[in-house]
Amino acid sequence: MTQAGRQGSPRNSSGRKGPERNSSQGGASRGGAQGGGFRGAAGKRNAGFGGGDRPHKAPKPREERFVDPDEAPAGQQGGASDWKPAAPSARKPAARKPGAKKAPGTPGALKPKARTGKPGAAASRAFGSERFGQNLGPVRKPSRKRGPRGPVPQSEMHDADGTRLQKVMAQAGVASRRVCEEMIAEGRVEVDGQVVTELGVRVDPKNAVIHVDGLRIQLDENLVYMVFNKPKGVVSTMEDPDGRPCISDFVRKTHQGERLFHVGRLDVATEGLLLLTNDGELANRLTHPSYEVPKTYLVQVRGPFPQGIGAQLREGVELEDGFASVDSFKLVDSTPGHVLIEVVLHSGKNRIVRRLFDAVGFPVLRLVRVKVGPIGLGDQRQGSIRNLGKQEVGHLLASVGL
């Protein structure tokens, strides 16, 4: 079939015969053919146009809408030709701002808006702006039964030759002086065991004992508090006559001349936390059994570890120097042939952890002390010594009633 025959076939037409379509395409008025001749599947789409004999009318040109200058939007002046749509606001919605979908703290993320409210609200916690040390949260003080306490007269603790209390607190790094005044007014400050709410109180920094939210403020700058992560093979003494590695080999030169006490002892094969300080009263209380300062150890023994041994250690085991037990027992990890256990106890007897596990038939393969009272090693590397933060010192002093 020729090309013309294919074009005129009913199969390729829009419901009309081929010759009629070709004649309409060849008519003098092409506009009329387009208006009345083409219907197709659109059906009524071109129903407004007449048949092929009807002259085609060109559509009217679109007229521009007249804009009255008096009715133009605010800020737009001039006639219709000068008027332009108002520019979109330069302020983008929060969802369209760069970095809106990024997690807070990641590079390019939006910075959180500063909180408005009471001055110093962000730093109202004692030593809240401290950069070093660990934030140990609120102080857990033992519950003590006290009778109703009335207001304390200012004259009982006021020292006319002393320093204003808020100034002493600010110099100790508690917070700004203005925030310290708010703490005093809120009844959060104690001087020598008495709550102070008056801003005019003066104290002697050398003799006054000040607590904020239960945290003792250490005003003696000569006192040192440090944490040593002892490696295996180091002797827990400051000097060793046999020439073995000892604590003084790791102490910085700035503290070489000071007399430091190591709180407790760790045998040569035991690793982990040792507290170093020149505060004799604190060292005595931390080691005295009456204060029952808890110590946390990680113990590695050979596995498998049968059930019932933990309960036996909690109930107590008879040793050569008396009855001993652990305060808590927790299985941390288990691998083929080895078991890692966390135990907490407050006893200060020599090699107590090793002797307890020997008594139940599981000699210790590795022993690490990770915590003493509220102070933990965290991610401190072995062989390093770091100074405690002021919050940590306050918690440590509070744990023994100082």
Side-chain angles (χ1 to χ4, degrees):
M1 185 181 292
T2 63
Q3 184 69 20
R6 281 198 296 267
Q7 290 179 354
S9 64
R11 183 176 297 178
N12 293 329
S13 64
S14 301
R16 293 193 176 191
K17 296 180 180 180
E20 293 180 1
R21 181 176 181 184
N22 292 337
S23 62
S24 64
Q25 290 179 353
S29 177
R30 183 174 298 273
Q34 292 178 352
F38 180 74
R39 294 181 184 268
K44 296 182 180 180
R45 183 182 62 171
N46 296 327
F49 293 97
D53 298 335
R54 191 171 180 176
H56 171 69
K57 294 183 179 180
K60 295 182 180 181
R62 180 178 296 178
E63 298 181 359
E64 294 186 3
R65 185 173 61 90
F66 173 73
V67 179
D68 192 345
D70 297 334
E71 298 179 358
Q76 302 290 342
Q77 302 295 332
S81 58
D82 298 330
W83 180 82
K84 295 181 181 180
S89 174
R91 186 177 182 179
K92 297 181 179 179
R96 296 176 56 189
K97 291 182 179 180
K101 297 184 179 180
K102 294 186 178 181
T106 59
L110 293 177
K111 294 182 179 180
K113 294 183 179 180
R115 296 182 179 179
T116 58
K118 199 172 184 180
S124 60
R125 179 169 49 86
F127 306 109
S129 59
E130 187 179 28
R131 293 179 55 194
F132 304 101
Q134 300 174 1
N135 178 13
L136 302 179
V139 176
R140 297 179 180 178
K141 296 189 295 183
S143 58
R144 292 177 290 177
K145 295 182 179 180
R146 296 180 178 178
R149 178 184 295 176
V152 180
Q154 178 179 342
S155 58
E156 291 187 10
M157 58 190 66
H158 182 72
D159 186 350
D161 298 329
T163 309
R164 287 187 179 273
L165 178 58
Q166 57 265 36
K167 183 177 180 181
V168 174
M169 293 169 57
Q171 290 176 344
V174 175
S176 66
R177 190 177 300 188
R178 183 174 180 180
V179 175
C180 291
E181 292 175 354
E182 296 175 0
M183 292 178 172
I184 296 172
E186 293 170 1
R188 298 164 56 185
V189 182
E190 294 183 6
V191 178
D192 298 332
Q194 302 292 330
V195 178
V196 178
T197 57
E198 300 181 25
L199 299 180
V201 174
R202 293 177 177 268
V203 297
D204 182 5
K206 296 182 179 180
N207 300 318
V209 178
I210 303 173
H211 289 79
V212 180
D213 295 335
L215 283 176
R216 169 80 176 270
I217 301 176
Q218 187 52 262
L219 302 175
D220 190 349
E221 297 180 355
N222 296 320
L223 295 179
V224 178
Y225 306 90
M226 297 183 292
V227 173
F228 174 43
N229 189 354
K230 185 184 94 64
K232 183 179 179 180
V234 177
V235 184
S236 295
T237 57
M238 299 305 295
E239 295 181 0
D240 185 66
D242 298 333
R244 294 176 295 179
C246 57
I247 299 174
S248 61
D249 297 334
F250 297 86
V251 177
R252 299 173 187 151
K253 295 181 180 180
T254 54
H255 301 297
Q256 287 286 352
E258 298 181 11
R259 183 185 179 187
L260 296 175
F261 303 98
H262 51 89
V263 178
R265 295 177 63 89
L266 294 175
D267 58 59
V268 178
T270 303
E271 313 161 43
L273 190 151
L274 269 177
L275 292 173
L276 307 178
T277 181
N278 57 0
D279 189 341
E281 179 64 19
L282 174 63
N284 290 333
R285 294 199 181 195
L286 287 173
T287 55
H288 200 280
S290 63
Y291 290 97
E292 298 186 348
V293 178
K295 306 171 187 68
T296 305
Y297 295 84
L298 289 178
V299 187
Q300 188 181 55
V301 297
R302 292 199 181 276
F305 199 81
Q307 294 183 355
I309 301 297
Q312 184 180 353
L313 289 172
R314 283 191 293 264
E315 292 173 0
V317 178
E318 186 69 27
L319 302 178
E320 62 271 13
D321 56 349
F323 200 73
S325 63
V326 300
D327 299 337
S328 70
F329 177 97
K330 183 173 66 174
L331 184 64
V332 177
D333 193 15
S334 178
T335 57
H338 293 89
V339 177
L340 187 63
I341 301 166
E342 180 189 273
V343 295
V344 180
L345 68 165
H346 59 270
S347 175
K349 294 181 180 180
N350 187 33
R351 297 173 58 88
I352 183 64
V353 177
R354 293 183 181 274
R355 291 191 291 141
L356 280 171
F357 277 83
D358 285 341
V360 296
F362 286 87
V364 173
L365 301 178
R366 186 181 180 188
L367 183 61
V368 182
R369 184 161 69 189
V370 295
K371 196 172 184 181
V372 173
I375 308 302
L377 275 180
D379 57 355
Q380 182 177 344
R381 63 181 178 85
Q382 261 195 359
S384 63
I385 295 179
R386 72 173 180 89
N387 292 322
L388 288 178
K390 294 181 180 179
Q391 284 192 63
E392 293 175 308
V393 173
H395 280 267
L396 191 60
L397 294 172
S399 66
V400 292
L402 289 176

